[in-house]
Amino acid sequence: MLRYDNYFIPKSLDEYFNLLTEVKDYRIVAGCTDVLPWAREGRAGNVFIKNIIDITNIKELNIFEIHKDKIKISATTTFQKLFIDPQIRKDIKILPQVSVWFADDQIREQATIGGNIVNASPAGDGSPAFLTLNAQAIIMGRKGKDIYERKISLDKFILGRNKVDLQGNEILAALEMDNTKGYGASFEKVGHRRSLVISTVCVSCVARTDSSGKLFDDVRIAVAGVREIPCRLEKTEKFLQGKEINEQNILQASVLDLDVINARSRLEYRKEVLQNFIIRAIIKSVSEKIIIKENYFEKTKIQKLEEVHA
Amino acid sequence: MSLTKKRGRGMAASWYGISRTAAMDQAGAWAEIDDGGTAKVVTGVTEIGEGILTVLAQVAAEELGVKPELVHIGDNDTSRSPEAAHAGATRQTYMIGNAVAMACRDSKDKLFNEIAKEWNVEKETLQAHDGEIWANGTNYKMPMSEAIHICKKKYGVIPVGSGNYTSHNTPLDPVDGSGSPWQAYVFGGQVAEVEVDTATGEVQILGIWACHDVGKAINPKGIEGQIEGGVVQAVGQALMEDYQQVEGHTTTGSFAKYILPTSLDVPKVTTKIVEDLDPLSPLGAKGIGEPAMVPTCPAIMNAIYDAVGVRIQSLPATPEKILRALDEKKRKSNGMAIN
Amino acid sequence: MHKLTINLEVNGRKINKEVNSHYRLLDFLREDLDLTGSKEGCGAGECGTCSVFVDGKLVKSCLMPVAKASGKKIETVEHQGTPDNLSTLQKAFFLTGASQCGFCIPGMVMAATSTLRNNPKADIEEIKEEMGGNICRCTGYQKIFDAVELARDVISGKLDPKALEEYSKPEASYLGANVKRIDAPGKVTGRLKYAADMKMPNMLHMQVFRSSRPHAKIKKLDLSKAKAVSGVEAIVTCDDVPGIDNFGVFIEDQPVLAKERVRYVGEAIAAVAADTLEAAKEAVSKIEIEYEDLPALYDPEEALKDEILIHEHYKTNLVKHIPIRKGNVEEGFAKADLIVEEKFATQPVEHAYLEPMAGLSYVDSDGTLVIVSPSQNITHHRHMMSKIMDLPINKVRFIMSPVGGGFGGKEDMIYQGMLALCAMKTRLPVRYVMTREEDITSTAKRHPSRTNYKIGITKDGKITAVQIKMLADGGAYGCSTEGVMRKAAILGAGPYKIDNLQMDTFGVYTNNTPSGAFRSFGALQTEFATESILDICAEKLNMDPFELRRKNMFVAGDLTHTKQELNSASIGTVLNELESLASWEKGTPNSRGASRKDLNGKDNRDSCFLGARLNEKPEASGGVK
Ligand SMILES: Cc1cc2nc3c(=O)[nH]c(=O)nc-3n(C[C@H](O)[C@H](O)[C@H](O)COP(=O)(O)OP(=O)(O)OC[C@H]3O[C@@H](n4cnc5c(N)ncnc54)[C@H](O)[C@@H]3O)c2cc1C
Ligand code: FES
Ligand code: FES
């Protein structure tokens, strides 16, 4: 059970930073969907934090801008907003796709993207999607009387399990990401069921072809669930750049980054699924027409790897 | 990519015993035809979700000749209601249903004694149904509300009935196990259709066809509900549920870790009820609660084998187990050593 | 306790109130407003029994601090309709029989309401996705989906509202009629009170101090700091038991609260009754204990060796062995053309009834001890309780409250003893509600099993002999192990005529969570093995699986495995009906999925992909520069 004496809901950044100078023992919350389940038996148990500071009503954090090249959305944006917003659905397809796999409709009404990133769970679904959009974390802090802002790419912001690069009174204010209008997208996730499911492996992919539709132009893939910190698959992406879209190239690409896996358990399983997901995600993002021959999947893991390396 | 998704089907049969195992089982009930043509039934029963209150209301309505919505069933209270023993062992309809039927017959008999006097007819000609009472072969007919009024006010009788039902189950011989553990047995069978994704090892159960003998089906929709629910519990056991401990410490101690089927994980269930009436009990009904889930897990494992040629003999068939088994199978068929 | 003032609207009523500052919206609704239609099934966002609308959006109220709800409009299930004036959806739930235990149903009604508000034309895939946050353990969801589709069609005008009233009154008999469930109106409206929804004046709250060790001696238990917590009225331990402190369904091996020794992690050691839940929790956290760890057993095979004993005075870890012998298996195997030997295993399973364990106890004016709880076996519980409390049976009164799912999990007596001790000691009403986590880790499970199976069969499919040995982990206490072993043994070989049978089931003690009664009670484990191995045989014999079963099935007059003559055996009819119901294509079960013609029929659901509400299927999002 989470117990606290005070629950503050500051309405502006000034009010927020002032509060932080006044109270000592505090915790920031947004949607509370990580914090409340955390303060239960089997996890943190009974927790007492004197002050809870809810950031969801800070007016400066009410950002939702979609520009031609970039989008900027506040950290307090909920996943349900990403799921239902028509413009996002049209142009940044990866976001509704990750959202539909995220928790359930009700949790998504509360769960914020900032909470998801800052909580930095290895199985978190949001970050790999944001990584494929080249997300920049916009961080705000106050030194003395001056509110400052700094920007850092999301992959640098996430430092480890439950660890991000926030100092002192800093707060994750917003994300700035690419508008991927015209890109295809695919989100692949597996756990033990299909709703309210924790990722064992998840893969986000956004991609587009050149104008002929024959060559890969820009492919971005990121993974989570299989390692401490989500990451992009750089070798895979680089390999595909400018290459012809065909079965052989996709299969070859699919094995280049499998060593990113450093999960503590179910390694073999994760490796095999990750490769299959990479293949599936690339195909779904660029073209339905590529068919991987059935007999490829009939082979063992080892044979599959040998074949593509040959 | 749907090439990685393979379908298959499997079947399994089952049987089950009704009521307490290898021990005498008994249940008691009281019934009273009440003012206004309503009825009161008191027995040791509380709804646990299986639909027993509705079944008992139907039984009482049928036996007393009143409308089911006018039957009130009292609370289960060890100090205020007759003993009907536990809510389990697929014994509710069989044991308590029959006890209530017997109590209602007793109550109705008492009412009929007085109405036979009133109309000066043979008791055997009297019948009651759906709130009316009449004497066959005559023009006598009146609402139940009037009959109970006459019974009480004119003849001074409150038609209180009691009933008991016993299942004469015998203990097993300690050496060779022989004995008659139940009076009534039910049989069932299910077919499962599954889709296995060989890229992830995920199994989706698409359809279950379930055929069960329940004896007399008192409320067919309720029976369907029991079968659908039982099947889905078994889907959980077959695919995802797994209570785990490490050196005695639970590692799946919340619903985030102990995984249950959601609305996106369940098959469509098509049910067919077989009614092989129990020859020994008044209602002929047997039961369905537990038997509903017995054939599901093996039907699913048989279907997975049909789809992808791997047999999971240790439940649950998680995606990881399926992929591992697939890999082993491929190695074997390629003549490689299994590590 | 710190308070804050909130201003909000609940079900159209304006409310300005001081509340405990740490309350979640769910606590506020249940404890302060008595709106107990919203339930706490998990407290962690995982089940949906607490779903309510906040400013028109459906959320899980167990994950919302009440302070967040200030200034908002809240709508709970109590606002959707009353038993005599049901909403369209509630009527549909009533008609289709969508509620069983009913514990998930208020949340389901809310999720369905939200789904149809968001899209009155939602198709079945959308309905399933949008209701994916609400777990139902009873219904298998099918009748719930039916209800939502029915309500949708009525709302959209596709169906006449009369379709909701439809109820075919039987001409001749009520037996065999689909009479609508008489308990449904109270459930679909959230009006039915389960134990945790009940309150009494001056009621205390109980919390339990539990073992953190799998097997240990209790060297010292210090309650002094706990007793000093303000609001604590009583703390009970095994020393407070006035009568015989041993109970159980078959073997009386369990103390109400651990005595000298703990045998599993989660075993109750002491119980605190205090005037608030918070005080009770705090007191529990201040109980101090010293253990001396003992070697522990986690593996039933190890347990059979009796090197470590869980209950020393029994001199063995064997709880029960049930043998069944018929004919002569050696002779039977000698007649077989094919002998198959395989191993099978099943896992421990949690009942996961959505209503966590809860109960209320008080002492009546005439000194009768009253326990209100969703127990599945109050008849037996009162016997045990009268011994424990040293009271005549007529002074022990059990009332069975509506059960929010049991499945056998509420058959064994678990917490009732502690509640009674607290009520007797304080002479005040005491309520106990387990959290989901506490319930999962401390209550009984389905017996995990390992089965060694040997079957002999002739070329033409006649079973000649079966030898089965099943070993089950009964955990730390006997509970229903004996009965489960018995049922597993009697039924395990399946509905088949087997002249030569040797069946043995063994249940043993370990230091794992106890195993107990669970729907299908052992038969599920052993029949799983039988039905799997029969398909293995069918493949080897090149025979259709229905055919193989028909060759061996019981007919009326046959002797069962326990040599009982069957007065009737419907298995033949069942198999025939099933085969045609499923339009089964005959054939050997040799992984012929790829070539079978009976797949993809109309009675399947579609393979589930997520994104029914996205304009384009994820499959088709190919992007071009
Ligand atoms: C039933 C359930 C299902 C779930 N399913 C999924 C899933 O499928 N995929 C998934 O990835 N996650 C899932 N989650 C986890 C959770 O919902 C997400 O991580 C969510 O995005 C967290 O956001 P929040 O606003 O609720 O965070 P909070 O709980 O409010 O906060 C989380 C942490 O982040 C900090 N924080 C929040 N916002 C900021 C900020 N702007 N600046 C600095 N610090 C901040 C808080 O101090 C806290 O430490 C699930 C949770 C539940 C309960
Ligand atoms: S989701 Fe709130 S109690 Fe389970
Ligand atoms: S009716 Fe859904 S949990 Fe019981």
Side-chain angles (χ1 to χ4, degrees):
Chain A
M1 189 202 292
L2 180 65
R3 287 189 61 190
Y4 40 85
D5 288 346
N6 306 305
Y7 193 96
F8 297 104
I9 311 179
K11 299 216 160 40
S12 67
L13 276 176
D14 262 332
E15 199 185 318
Y16 168 77
F17 286 117
N18 288 342
L19 251 175
L20 294 200
T21 59
E22 287 158 24
V23 301
K24 287 262 149 7
D25 176 14
Y26 71 87
R27 177 81 176 249
I28 301 176
V29 298
C32 296
T33 64
D34 271 320
V35 168
L36 282 175
W38 161 78
R40 294 183 64 87
E41 305 107 288
R43 297 185 66 193
N46 292 319
V47 176
F48 178 80
I49 301 170
K50 196 161 175 55
N51 304 292
I52 298 291
I53 303 176
D54 182 328
I55 60 165
T56 53
N57 267 8
I58 296 177
K59 63 174 190 291
E60 292 92 333
L61 295 192
N62 192 4
I63 313 162
F64 197 82
E65 299 167 7
I66 300 183
H67 306 288
K68 201 160 148 283
D69 296 325
K70 296 275 175 199
I71 67 169
K72 189 172 166 189
I73 56 179
S74 60
T76 50
T77 306
T78 65
F79 279 91
Q80 193 68 347
K81 171 82 173 161
L82 300 184
F83 179 61
I84 58 175
D85 186 79
Q87 193 74 31
I88 298 258
R89 277 192 177 199
K90 216 163 115 248
D91 292 345
I92 308 136
K93 298 193 172 84
I94 191 64
L95 295 179
Q97 284 196 30
V98 66
S99 301
V100 77
W101 273 101
F102 188 103
D104 66 34
D105 278 76
Q106 300 169 53
I107 305 270
R108 292 201 295 268
E109 293 285 7
Q110 297 286 103
T112 66
I113 60 171
N116 194 245
I117 293 169
V118 175
N119 191 54
S121 153
D125 291 320
S127 293
F130 305 139
L131 284 176
T132 59
L133 301 175
N134 292 326
Q136 299 276 319
I138 298 175
I139 293 150
M140 287 181 165
R142 192 170 77 174
K143 262 210 186 89
K145 284 207 157 48
D146 302 327
I147 292 180
Y148 65 86
E149 189 180 305
R150 69 183 173 95
K151 233 194 230 185
I152 170 173
S153 74
L154 184 61
D155 60 329
K156 302 228 162 56
F157 179 67
I158 304 171
L159 299 175
R161 184 184 286 259
N162 308 125
K163 247 178 99 184
V164 293
D165 177 17
L166 285 177
Q167 319 288 337
N169 60 13
E170 284 180 347
I171 181 174
L172 176 63
L175 288 187
E176 194 177 76
M177 303 184 279
D178 290 353
N179 183 332
T180 50
K181 189 175 171 150
Y183 280 67
S186 172
F187 181 74
E188 305 292 330
K189 172 171 174 178
V190 66
H192 279 107
R193 59 178 170 187
R194 305 179 75 77
S195 183
L196 291 171
V197 54
I198 301 169
S199 289
T200 311
V201 184
C202 78
V203 168
S204 265
C205 178
V206 303
R208 69 173 181 197
T209 65
D210 73 346
S211 52
S212 74
K214 294 211 170 72
L215 305 180
F216 286 110
D217 173 58
D218 183 9
V219 182
R220 307 180 199 165
I221 310 174
V223 301
V226 299
R227 63 201 312 277
E228 287 284 298
I229 313 177
C231 73
R232 289 271 289 267
L233 301 183
E234 285 170 13
K235 287 182 228 153
T236 312
E237 293 178 2
K238 222 166 122 202
F239 175 87
L240 289 173
Q241 175 67 41
K243 287 234 166 50
E244 194 183 321
I245 302 173
N246 62 30
E247 177 183 359
Q248 192 57 27
N249 281 334
I250 294 172
L251 292 184
Q252 271 191 332
S254 72
V255 296
L256 299 176
D257 279 310
L258 297 183
D259 55 0
V260 299
I261 301 177
N262 63 10
R264 285 183 228 159
S265 63
R266 297 192 264 170
L267 231 106
E268 283 305 304
Y269 175 73
R270 289 185 149 115
K271 203 170 202 172
E272 184 167 3
V273 172
L274 178 57
Q275 191 202 349
N276 291 336
F277 271 177
I278 293 170
I279 298 170
R280 195 179 269 190
I282 295 171
I283 292 175
K284 278 195 201 165
S285 317
V286 293
S287 161
E288 275 294 288
K289 292 178 202 95
I290 303 286
I291 304 279
I292 302 293
K293 281 194 227 56
E294 177 160 15
N295 63 10
Y296 172 76
F297 291 100
E298 293 291 310
K299 298 200 174 115
T300 67
K301 282 178 284 190
I302 305 291
Q303 282 176 317
K304 272 195 269 183
L305 297 187
E306 280 163 358
E307 175 169 310
V308 288
H309 281 306
Chain B
M1 286 302 282
S2 60
L3 282 177
T4 64
K5 298 195 174 159
K6 316 262 186 206
R7 291 195 180 190
R9 283 181 142 202
M11 63 82 63
S14 64
W15 69 322
Y16 211 78
I18 302 299
S19 80
R20 284 185 70 191
T21 307
M24 191 69 82
D25 200 356
Q26 62 286 328
W30 298 330
E32 179 188 328
I33 301 172
D34 204 351
D35 292 348
T38 67
K40 231 170 4 199
V41 170
V42 188
T43 177
V45 76
T46 295
E47 178 74 42
I48 73 169
E50 78 283 58
I52 187 62
L53 295 186
T54 311
V55 164
L56 296 183
Q58 285 177 255
V59 169
E62 183 66 20
E63 296 290 345
L64 297 172
V66 303
K67 292 175 189 296
E69 59 271 29
L70 298 185
V71 177
H72 184 87
I73 299 175
D75 292 337
N76 185 3
D77 179 328
T78 56
S79 301
R80 320 249 155 128
S81 44
E83 170 176 329
H86 77 293
T90 314
R91 65 186 289 287
Q92 302 292 86
T93 300
Y94 187 66
M95 297 303 305
I96 306 176
N98 283 318
V100 166
M102 300 308 283
C104 290
R105 285 178 192 183
D106 191 26
S107 166
K108 188 167 75 174
D109 192 60
K110 289 177 176 157
L111 176 78
F112 279 13
N113 282 339
E114 309 312 317
I115 301 301
K117 281 186 219 157
E118 171 75 9
W119 283 340
N120 198 12
V121 296
E122 291 297 317
K123 193 166 87 181
E124 288 62 41
T125 65
L126 292 182
Q127 262 188 296
H129 182 67
D130 208 29
E132 286 191 323
I133 175 167
W134 67 91
N136 279 336
T138 73
N139 284 330
Y140 288 127
K141 185 173 198 166
M142 66 178 149
M144 211 51 167
S145 49
E146 201 180 323
I148 185 67
H149 186 79
I150 291 168
C151 182
K152 285 188 184 178
K153 300 294 168 210
K154 193 160 167 193
Y155 297 95
V157 171
I158 296 173
V160 183
S162 69
N164 177 70
Y165 186 70
T166 313
S167 189
H168 298 273
N169 312 333
T170 68
L172 302 187
D173 179 272
V175 177
D176 73 354
S178 61
S180 297
W182 300 289
Q183 282 184 181
Y185 288 84
V186 292
F187 298 85
Q190 294 180 6
V191 165
E193 185 163 330
V194 304
E195 180 180 271
V196 183
D197 187 341
T198 58
T200 58
E202 281 169 292
V203 177
Q204 291 196 46
I205 322 281
L206 304 176
I208 295 278
W209 291 262
C211 183
H212 290 268
D213 164 28
V214 301
K216 172 74 192 169
I218 292 177
N219 188 317
K221 197 167 249 172
I223 292 164
E224 267 174 41
Q226 285 298 297
I227 294 175
E228 291 157 7
V231 161
V232 166
Q233 277 190 1
V235 164
Q237 169 140 24
L239 300 184
M240 58 192 88
E241 295 181 37
D242 197 357
Y243 177 76
Q244 293 179 336
Q245 291 181 278
V246 173
E247 304 213 315
H249 293 264
T250 308
T251 56
T252 52
S254 68
F255 278 173
K257 294 270 175 67
Y258 187 85
I259 307 298
L260 299 165
T262 68
S263 60
L264 295 177
D265 305 294
V266 300
K268 184 162 172 200
V269 182
T270 307
T271 301
K272 169 89 195 190
I273 296 170
V274 168
E275 295 185 272
D276 179 34
L277 303 202
D278 177 47
L280 299 177
S281 54
L283 295 171
K286 294 189 279 196
I288 187 61
E290 296 177 272
M293 68 185 297
V294 178
T296 317
C297 291
I300 290 170
M301 297 309 128
N302 291 340
I304 292 173
Y305 184 78
D306 190 47
V308 294
V310 302
R311 179 168 290 287
I312 303 300
Q313 293 178 204
S314 154
L315 300 181
T318 57
E320 191 183 1
K321 264 190 213 166
I322 301 262
L323 278 201
R324 201 186 314 130
L326 274 170
D327 201 52
E328 275 168 20
K329 178 190 146 212
K330 292 172 205 158
R331 283 158 167 277
K332 246 191 231 165
S333 68
N334 293 336
M336 284 191 256
I338 298 165
N339 56 6
Chain C
M1 233 171 295
H2 272 255
K3 302 272 181 188
L4 56 82
T5 303
I6 54 169
N7 251 305
L8 76 183
E9 194 182 305
V10 179
N11 296 339
R13 238 177 89 212
K14 294 219 164 29
I15 295 174
N16 181 316
K17 218 171 153 76
E18 205 176 54
V19 299
N20 288 340
S21 52
H22 71 276
Y23 262 16
R24 303 159 303 166
L25 176 56
L26 179 63
D27 302 317
F28 171 66
L29 294 172
R30 289 178 56 80
E31 301 303 323
D32 290 354
L33 302 185
D34 266 319
L35 293 171
T36 53
S38 307
K39 314 276 177 206
E40 180 158 2
C42 74
E46 300 278 351
C47 77
T49 54
C50 64
S51 303
V52 301
F53 287 106
V54 175
D55 278 352
K57 289 177 180 164
L58 194 70
V59 301
K60 290 178 164 168
S61 61
C62 70
L63 293 186
M64 181 175 276
V66 68
K68 245 187 202 295
S70 193
K72 305 236 155 81
K73 279 193 177 141
I74 315 297
E75 200 188 319
T76 71
V77 70
E78 284 86 352
H79 203 50
Q80 304 305 310
T82 55
D84 47 11
N85 186 19
L86 300 176
S87 74
T88 302
L89 257 162
Q90 288 168 330
K91 282 184 187 159
F93 271 63
F94 187 17
L95 183 74
T96 63
S99 60
Q100 290 191 16
C101 82
F103 203 79
C104 73
I105 292 299
M108 285 289 178
V109 166
M110 297 302 279
T113 304
S114 172
T115 304
L116 294 184
R117 278 185 192 170
N118 290 341
N119 180 7
K121 296 203 174 85
D123 70 10
I124 183 66
E125 292 305 321
E126 275 189 60
I127 292 168
K128 286 183 186 175
E129 271 186 24
E130 227 167 317
M131 297 185 65
N134 292 63
I135 304 279
C136 176
R137 189 56 160 166
C138 297
T139 65
Y141 304 96
Q142 191 145 316
K143 301 246 179 292
I144 294 175
F145 299 153
D146 291 349
V148 186
E149 290 200 287
L150 173 63
R152 173 198 62 202
D153 290 347
V154 169
I155 291 167
S156 74
K158 209 168 131 193
L159 280 178
D160 193 285
K162 278 206 200 89
L164 293 167
E165 314 294 342
E166 178 192 305
Y167 157 41
S168 55
K169 216 181 99 196
E171 297 287 303
S173 170
Y174 281 108
L175 303 183
N178 285 323
V179 171
K180 291 199 277 184
R181 293 181 64 114
I182 61 176
D183 56 332
K187 287 177 174 171
V188 299
T189 54
R191 296 308 198 275
L192 181 70
K193 296 272 183 196
Y194 299 82
D197 303 333
M198 299 176 189
K199 261 186 204 164
M200 292 182 79
N202 298 323
M203 184 177 81
L204 302 178
H205 299 262
M206 188 177 93
Q207 288 287 292
V208 178
F209 176 72
R210 295 180 180 280
S211 167
S212 60
R213 303 300 165 90
H215 199 192
K217 282 199 177 124
I218 300 172
K219 301 282 285 178
K220 205 175 121 201
L221 188 64
D222 183 353
L223 306 175
S224 53
K225 289 196 183 121
K227 281 186 178 151
V229 172
S230 122
V232 170
E233 295 279 344
I235 303 185
V236 297
T237 66
C238 61
D239 298 334
D240 294 283
V241 176
I244 302 166
D245 190 10
N246 263 323
F247 70 94
V249 188
F250 292 93
I251 307 172
E252 293 176 348
D253 62 357
Q254 195 165 359
V256 173
L257 290 148
K259 212 172 358 191
E260 289 153 30
R261 217 188 235 236
V262 291
R263 297 185 172 86
Y264 74 99
V265 176
E267 180 165 4
I269 296 171
V272 179
D275 59 2
T276 64
L277 183 65
E278 290 75 10
K281 275 188 193 286
E282 190 181 340
V284 164
S285 74
K286 299 220 153 110
I287 293 178
E288 290 172 3
I289 191 165
E290 261 176 48
Y291 296 104
E292 179 188 320
D293 286 317
L294 296 169
L297 277 175
Y298 311 112
D299 180 349
E301 303 275 358
E302 288 294 311
L304 278 177
K305 294 181 190 157
D306 288 339
E307 283 162 10
I308 297 168
L309 289 174
I310 312 293
H311 294 261
E312 270 174 335
H313 53 287
Y314 293 140
K315 311 254 183 314
T316 172
N317 291 320
L318 183 66
V319 181
K320 193 71 190 178
H321 166 212
I322 304 284
I324 292 178
R325 299 287 179 273
K326 197 178 170 203
N328 179 321
V329 282
E330 271 70 43
E331 285 171 17
F333 285 123
K335 285 190 207 133
D337 297 310
L338 172 70
I339 290 180
V340 178
E341 283 193 73
E342 291 288 341
K343 289 188 189 337
F344 298 90
T346 65
Q347 76 278 37
V349 174
E350 159 59 29
H351 301 83
Y353 33 71
L354 279 200
E355 176 207 25
M357 297 282 187
L360 188 65
S361 179
Y362 54 93
V363 183
D364 245 347
S365 51
D366 66 353
T368 303
L369 169 68
V370 186
I371 294 120
V372 185
S373 72
S375 314
Q376 290 176 259
N377 196 354
I378 58 175
T379 309
H380 185 225
H381 290 185
R382 73 171 181 157
H383 295 154
M384 301 193 281
M385 190 66 82
S386 89
K387 283 198 206 163
I388 291 167
M389 303 306 291
D390 195 22
L391 287 169
I393 286 200
N394 75 321
K395 288 289 177 198
V396 176
R397 177 180 170 207
F398 269 88
I399 300 171
M400 182 170 168
S401 55
V403 182
F407 317 115
K410 291 169 181 165
E411 224 168 279
D412 295 299
M413 198 168 90
I414 293 173
Y415 51 91
Q416 289 84 349
M418 309 180 238
L419 256 181
L421 289 175
C422 286
M424 287 297 259
K425 198 160 178 174
T426 61
R427 296 278 158 165
L428 289 170
V430 184
R431 187 175 80 181
Y432 178 46
V433 183
M434 282 195 193
T435 61
R436 176 56 58 186
E437 291 86 344
E438 193 177 12
D439 190 316
I440 294 181
T441 51
S442 68
T443 67
K445 302 288 163 284
R446 185 190 293 290
H447 287 76
S449 71
R450 295 174 199 169
T451 301
N452 289 345
Y453 210 115
K454 184 174 173 188
I455 185 169
I457 198 162
T458 63
K459 285 201 291 293
D460 55 355
K462 196 84 193 91
I463 300 171
T464 61
V466 167
Q467 193 175 35
I468 304 172
K469 197 175 137 190
M470 181 187 91
L471 175 60
D473 183 351
Y477 289 98
C479 301
S480 291
T481 292
E482 176 175 333
V484 171
M485 292 309 104
R486 192 172 291 121
K487 219 160 187 170
I490 301 172
L491 296 168
Y496 309 108
K497 190 166 176 298
I498 299 167
D499 293 334
N500 305 297
L501 174 71
Q502 182 178 328
M503 159 65 95
D504 295 277
T505 57
F506 301 87
V508 294
Y509 288 123
T510 64
N511 294 108
N512 292 323
T513 314
S515 302
F518 200 142
R519 189 180 193 175
S520 308
F521 220 71
L524 182 140
Q525 290 91 320
T526 42
E527 291 192 50
F528 158 63
T530 295
E531 295 300 313
S532 296
I533 210 163
L534 282 180
D535 259 38
I536 297 177
C537 293
E539 179 175 20
K540 293 188 194 282
L541 296 170
N542 200 7
M543 192 178 281
D544 178 79
F546 276 89
E547 206 43 48
L548 178 61
R549 284 160 177 92
R550 280 195 192 98
K551 289 217 156 150
N552 295 287
M553 70 193 179
F554 283 135
V555 296
D558 277 348
L559 291 188
T560 63
H561 312 311
T562 63
K563 305 186 193 109
Q564 175 183 5
E565 189 179 321
L566 284 173
N567 59 24
S568 152
S570 56
I571 178 73
T573 317
V574 164
L575 287 174
N576 292 343
E577 293 282 351
L578 176 62
E579 199 173 7
S580 72
L581 180 72
S583 313
W584 178 265
E585 180 191 276
K586 284 192 195 307
T588 306
N590 56 358
S591 308
R592 62 193 171 101
S595 63
R596 33 190 331 152
K597 304 277 180 309
D598 57 350
L599 300 174
N600 306 319
K602 66 169 176 31
D603 289 333
N604 283 299
R605 69 159 165 85
D606 289 337
S607 166
C608 160
F609 68 93
L610 268 85
R613 284 166 290 170
L614 297 173
N615 328 353
E616 43 185 358
K617 286 194 186 178
E619 317 285 335
S621 75
V624 182
K625 189 172 184 175

